[in-house]
Amino acid sequence: MQGGGGGSESGSMSTVSREDNMVMSSEDSSCPDESELELGLGLSLGGFKMHQVSRGGHYARILTAKDFPSVISASSSPSSSSSSSSSSSSSSSSSSSSSSSSSLRRANVTAGTKRNADSVAAANSSSQVVGWPPIRAYRMNSMVNQAKNQATEGFNSTMENHKSETSTVEKGTTGISSYQNSGNAKLRKSLFVKVNMDGIPIGRKVDMNAHESYEKLAKTLEDMFLKTTPNVNPAGLRALKLGMMNKLTRSSKLLDGSSDFVLTYEDKEGDWMLVGDVPWKVFLSSVKRLRIMRTSEATGLAPRLHERNCQRQRSKHI
Amino acid sequence: MIEEEMNLTELDIQENGIDDKGGSWLSCFPESFTSLEVLNFANLSSDINFDALERLVGRCKSMRVLKLNRSVSLEQLQRLLVNAPQLAELGTGSFSEELTFRQYVELESALSNCQNMHTLYGLWDAKGIYLPALYPVCTHLTFLNLSYAALRSDELAKLLAHCPRLKRLWVLDTVEDKGLEAVGLNCPLLEELRVFPADPFDEEIIHGVTEAGFVAVSFGCPRLHYVLYFCRQMTNAAVATIVQNCPDFTHFRLCIMNPGQPDYITNEPMDEAFGAVVKTCTKLQRLSVSGRLTDLTFEYIGRYAKNLETLSVAFAGSSDWGMQCVMGGCSKLRKLEIRDCPFGNAALLSGLEKYESMRSLWMSACNVTMNGCRLLAREMPRLNVEVMKEDGSDDSQADKVYVYRSIAGPRRDAPPSVLTL
């Protein structure tokens, strides 16, 4: 089993399992100037190592392209693994992982980072290397449109992790969510979950990753289920919006307790929970499916719902 | 702080680990406070008190730079601009919400009054359909940062047709080669281009930009001297053409995103590409290399890059000789950062004499050992040689090494993972 190893935030990118840990080198967000340390070799954070030298006192053998067979897909590891425990093998079945591997075997294992000339282009492996390509954390965060959303509680995750001190980073995963932005995670995959609404036999599916916050999710669901005609938004600036337009900041009916329905979800442990209690990213990592439940059925939840939402609305402004 | 600083002219909240507790800081500016010239809170993630902001901007008539964060809407932007037509640099908030036709017209009108505006950033998630609102300010723009807006090539082309004076342009690679052709066609004064990858980690993506886009820009923009280019394929021939068209590069940062990737047409290493760069661009100060590179690249660098000050190397080189060439040849080298290269102790120690005249050396995931670092530290007492080891790594390996000169001696604030030798 792949350990979480030295993985702190980066969570995902390391491919190859080796004895040495893949400590992440996050993008160098501590430098004020983008031109500094562009390789993301931030001092404060663990650096990635794809070590080409065999351990145990061998001399470094200089590996050239010929050493790297085209084991592309085999050496790509799933984004959830971050690590490198000595006993595990990466998902690359072809590259076994014994700790006494010869340097050649090591070459196979490192094939994740260098590609044979043949295996080029689409099979690119940049996703498997921590801290590469060298893009600043700030930019990565912005690009995926997540975490910077002001409406959700628990802003924390992404920005903080990149700015965290060495000690937190190197102590193993700080990640609470598999979507934590390590700078190297595959962040933009879809995450479709089923949504059912009481009284409606046909369910829908919604891409959780296409939303950055509870408000946006709720809005989408309202559009899907609570409006008889879809709120089609005609392109073009000449479309007049006569009050059909939902401003993003308006609180959703599904979340503020004002409708007959309440939004709940099933988490990884099979429990049905009220949507909105935990930070968005934590939610993303635990949601399995959604249910728009009649408030009358959400016994025990409703009073708390109302109370919680009053509180949230108060804290939202200034 | 704000309450005490009556003559504050600049408040620039750069990217910091700020514990963002909301927008009340804006209300700390008293009504009598009018001196602010620069206000940058683009990196704050929280909502702000817009009314306070509007009043502040309205009364600071000397404000030249205003960079908003994403929580500021287009409609709010319009309200701010109406009272600040003197702005020279604007960072918009989010540029993606729905606007009514009337709102759009008002925004366009407010922008057109900003005749001093030469720099535009932000534009987060900008939708192509609203870009025409920018046209009135485009004529004067010298710096346009579209790197948070995933535009298509046609959208960019239409926009650039209005930007003849552009000197600096940052874009996402969603504009593709066609978009870059438009750059070459419309922006003859361009000096700096940065192309960022929209999806750097997605293996299925085969879009983005290629060597063709870069070449197209080089034909149209002979004054280009700063480039940062993320791409998935490149050829030696293309780079040779590029530097022939633009011999004045001072900063050449090419990132072929797949580590160790060769020229995709000839399958050869990219040595000749960077050879061409250093031979032709005599003013080169900063170089970042990528792709499959042998020691030959570094021979070229050592021999020709006499003005080079900063060099970034990753997944490159064949042996110690490569680094030795650089250390021996680049007399003006100040910063060297290396990762995942087969450079060992001999390479490290070849720079013994040089490190004191440099700002720093960083080597990670190379073949340097603790003994090599100790030797360096012993021979050069005025250098701080810091080693950061990773959990579980071999005791003899120096996983990450950072070397810099210091008259203050070893640092006292190092976390436990950093060993100063």
Side-chain angles (χ1 to χ4, degrees):
Chain A
M1 195 59 221
Q2 313 248 15
S8 44
E9 57 207 72
S10 147
S12 44
M13 276 321 143
S14 58
T15 33
V16 230
S17 71
R18 328 211 28 179
E19 295 82 290
D20 29 323
N21 275 345
M22 311 300 230
V23 182
M24 335 343 290
S25 98
S26 119
E27 299 319 313
D28 176 36
S29 56
S30 52
C31 268
D33 172 12
E34 185 175 6
S35 64
E36 301 275 313
L37 282 178
E38 74 157 32
L39 293 186
L41 305 173
L43 303 182
S44 58
L45 300 163
F48 168 73
K49 177 166 64 173
M50 288 301 295
H51 207 35
Q52 290 147 358
V53 180
S54 66
R55 288 287 159 65
H58 289 159
Y59 265 102
R61 182 168 88 84
I62 303 305
L63 302 173
T64 63
K66 297 185 187 50
D67 294 320
F68 303 129
S70 51
V71 278
I72 306 141
S73 49
S75 30
S76 56
S77 88
S79 53
S80 56
S81 87
S82 71
S83 78
S84 49
S85 27
S86 51
S87 55
S88 66
S89 59
S90 72
S91 57
S92 49
S93 47
S94 65
S95 40
S96 52
S97 60
S98 88
S99 38
S100 58
S101 55
S102 67
S103 57
L104 181 58
R105 195 151 342 130
R106 197 169 303 276
N108 287 342
V109 173
T110 53
T113 55
K114 292 204 181 182
R115 287 282 175 251
N116 184 297
D118 299 334
S119 56
V120 86
N124 90 65
S125 64
S126 63
S127 57
Q128 302 171 21
V129 178
V130 174
W132 185 265
I135 300 171
R136 293 187 74 198
Y138 174 64
R139 181 165 292 284
M140 283 307 310
N141 292 340
S142 302
M143 270 159 39
V144 292
N145 272 348
Q146 286 185 14
K148 294 183 79 73
N149 190 302
Q150 55 279 19
T152 50
E153 319 91 327
F155 146 72
N156 114 51
S157 50
T158 61
M159 295 299 273
E160 256 180 32
N161 288 320
H162 283 287
K163 288 154 197 192
S164 57
E165 298 305 320
T166 311
S167 51
T168 35
V169 168
E170 287 184 342
K171 288 306 182 256
T173 45
T174 54
I176 44 180
S177 158
S178 58
Y179 294 97
Q180 188 154 12
N181 186 341
S182 63
N184 291 305
K186 291 186 187 181
L187 294 156
R188 301 176 91 196
K189 286 220 146 95
S190 301
L191 177 67
F192 281 97
V193 301
K194 290 186 189 172
V195 190
N196 286 87
M197 176 160 164
D198 287 2
I200 297 181
I202 308 262
R204 302 290 301 267
K205 272 196 164 176
V206 66
D207 180 1
M208 301 303 290
N209 278 349
H211 301 85
E212 310 118 71
S213 69
Y214 288 121
E215 275 73 23
K216 294 203 175 145
L217 173 66
K219 179 181 182 313
T220 298
L221 295 178
E222 280 178 25
D223 288 348
M224 276 183 179
F225 290 94
L226 297 185
K227 293 190 164 44
T228 47
T229 52
N231 184 13
V232 175
N233 191 8
L237 43 88
R238 295 177 194 271
L240 287 179
K241 303 271 170 216
L242 301 169
M244 289 239 327
M245 196 162 56
N246 289 319
K247 294 230 164 29
L248 294 178
T249 49
R250 198 199 72 179
S251 185
S252 145
K253 290 202 194 64
L254 281 173
L255 294 180
D256 66 8
S258 64
S259 89
D260 295 331
F261 290 90
V262 76
L263 185 56
T264 63
Y265 73 106
E266 185 182 28
D267 71 5
K268 279 190 181 137
E269 292 155 61
D271 298 326
W272 285 92
M273 313 290 289
L274 194 66
V275 165
D277 284 333
V278 296
W280 175 252
K281 300 201 120 193
V282 178
F283 171 65
L284 281 186
S285 67
S286 53
V287 62
K288 287 280 161 281
R289 55 188 168 128
L290 296 166
R291 177 177 162 201
I292 303 174
M293 196 184 284
R294 286 200 183 87
T295 312
S296 51
E297 295 207 357
T299 49
L301 294 178
R304 195 162 62 81
L305 167 64
H306 183 64
E307 188 185 330
R308 176 178 61 79
N309 279 302
C310 281
Q311 204 172 28
R312 193 203 286 159
Q313 305 221 350
R314 255 183 270 127
S315 66
K316 229 195 240 186
H317 300 290
I318 305 176
Chain B
M1 177 197 87
I2 290 177
E3 284 163 353
E4 291 172 10
E5 188 55 73
M6 291 311 295
N7 289 315
L8 191 67
T9 57
E10 276 198 36
L11 182 60
D12 194 330
I13 307 175
Q14 292 282 4
E15 180 187 349
N16 285 313
I18 290 182
D19 224 350
D20 197 352
K21 295 205 161 64
S24 57
W25 56 277
L26 278 168
S27 322
C28 294
F29 288 98
E31 291 299 319
S32 54
F33 178 81
T34 58
S35 54
L36 204 61
E37 294 174 21
V38 174
L39 176 60
N40 173 10
F41 61 94
N43 298 314
L44 290 189
S45 61
S46 65
D47 287 348
I48 45 112
N49 179 346
F50 181 72
D51 288 334
L53 175 66
E54 195 178 10
R55 285 195 305 274
L56 177 65
V57 171
R59 64 180 185 267
C60 293
K61 292 304 182 192
S62 316
M63 190 175 284
R64 326 171 256 111
V65 177
L66 176 62
K67 296 197 204 170
L68 309 168
N69 76 357
R70 263 168 127 151
S71 72
V72 177
S73 70
L74 278 175
E75 199 205 336
Q76 290 172 330
L77 172 66
Q78 184 264 336
R79 283 160 61 184
L80 292 172
L81 289 178
V82 156
N83 288 320
Q86 79 283 357
L87 282 177
E89 296 184 25
L90 173 65
T92 71
S94 178
F95 216 78
S96 67
E97 82 213 41
E98 316 290 326
L99 288 180
T100 64
F101 180 57
R102 209 197 65 178
Q103 285 170 324
Y104 170 85
V105 165
E106 284 174 354
L107 175 64
E108 187 183 34
S109 161
L111 281 165
S112 64
N113 284 332
C114 299
Q115 291 299 309
N116 289 333
M117 201 172 291
H118 56 70
T119 294
L120 194 56
Y121 328 80
L123 299 167
W124 279 296
D125 314 316
K127 290 206 167 102
I129 48 170
Y130 295 146
L131 292 182
L134 300 174
Y135 293 170
V137 290
C138 284
T139 31
H140 316 289
L141 281 188
T142 56
F143 178 22
L144 179 56
N145 182 352
L146 295 169
S147 62
Y148 299 108
L151 299 183
R152 297 187 315 255
S153 52
D154 55 308
E155 292 168 335
L156 179 67
K158 280 193 222 119
L159 181 60
L160 290 181
H162 294 85
C163 307
R165 303 217 181 104
L166 218 51
K167 291 190 181 165
R168 300 171 65 199
L169 176 64
W170 297 17
V171 291
L172 282 180
D173 66 357
T174 52
V175 303
E176 298 186 345
D177 290 334
K178 263 189 92 46
L180 294 181
E181 281 171 32
V183 174
L185 287 172
N186 290 295
C187 306
L189 303 179
L190 199 71
E191 299 178 16
E192 173 181 326
L193 175 67
R194 301 195 196 199
V195 182
F196 296 96
D199 256 310
F201 308 116
D202 195 325
E203 285 175 0
E204 282 119 50
I205 293 275
I206 35 178
H207 308 301
V209 294
T210 72
E211 76 281 8
F214 197 170
V215 169
V217 174
S218 74
F219 274 114
C221 308
R223 297 192 197 186
L224 199 62
H225 68 81
Y226 190 121
V227 81
L228 170 60
Y229 200 80
F230 285 86
C231 59
R232 290 184 171 85
Q233 63 189 50
M234 188 51 63
T235 66
N236 289 308
V239 177
T241 304
I242 288 161
V243 294
Q244 202 171 27
N245 293 337
C246 304
D248 298 328
F249 275 112
T250 55
H251 297 68
F252 193 91
R253 303 165 63 187
L254 176 62
C255 182
I256 302 167
M257 290 193 275
N258 187 7
Q261 184 174 297
D263 178 319
Y264 80 100
I265 290 184
T266 66
N267 263 346
E268 286 171 0
M270 297 296 296
D271 297 333
E272 294 306 319
F274 294 103
V277 172
V278 294
K279 284 176 199 165
T280 313
C281 305
T282 52
K283 301 182 206 157
L284 196 69
Q285 295 166 20
R286 179 170 184 180
L287 179 65
S288 304
V289 299
S290 59
R292 189 189 313 157
L293 302 174
T294 70
D295 285 343
L296 183 56
T297 296
F298 302 102
E299 282 183 32
Y300 286 143
I301 292 174
R303 199 181 320 156
Y304 295 103
K306 294 305 179 186
N307 284 318
L308 194 66
E309 297 180 16
T310 303
L311 178 62
S312 304
V313 184
F315 306 102
S318 331
S319 72
D320 287 334
W321 173 240
M323 185 171 162
Q324 286 167 337
C325 289
V326 171
M327 298 315 300
C330 298
S331 42
K332 293 198 187 167
L333 195 64
R334 316 266 293 119
K335 282 181 61 172
L336 179 56
E337 49 178 19
I338 303 175
R339 67 168 286 182
D340 291 275
C341 296
F343 302 141
N345 292 337
L348 174 70
L349 295 169
S350 69
L352 210 66
E353 314 278 308
K354 215 161 154 44
Y355 299 132
E356 271 186 8
S357 62
M358 286 171 57
R359 267 184 70 188
S360 64
L361 165 73
W362 171 277
M363 287 178 78
S364 65
C366 296
N367 296 342
V368 172
T369 69
M370 294 298 288
N371 282 337
C373 295
R374 285 190 196 106
L375 187 59
L376 177 63
R378 196 166 57 234
E379 293 297 311
M380 305 297 295
R382 285 195 300 260
L383 292 179
N384 278 354
V385 179
E386 295 178 1
V387 175
M388 285 141 274
K389 292 190 60 61
E390 293 159 21
D391 292 338
S393 76
D394 201 304
D395 282 343
S396 63
Q397 289 308 115
D399 309 314
K400 293 188 279 288
V401 183
Y402 188 57
V403 179
Y404 57 97
R405 64 168 181 241
S406 175
I407 53 174
R411 53 186 292 201
R412 281 173 284 270
D413 59 346
S417 52
V418 177
L419 312 164
T420 305
L421 298 181

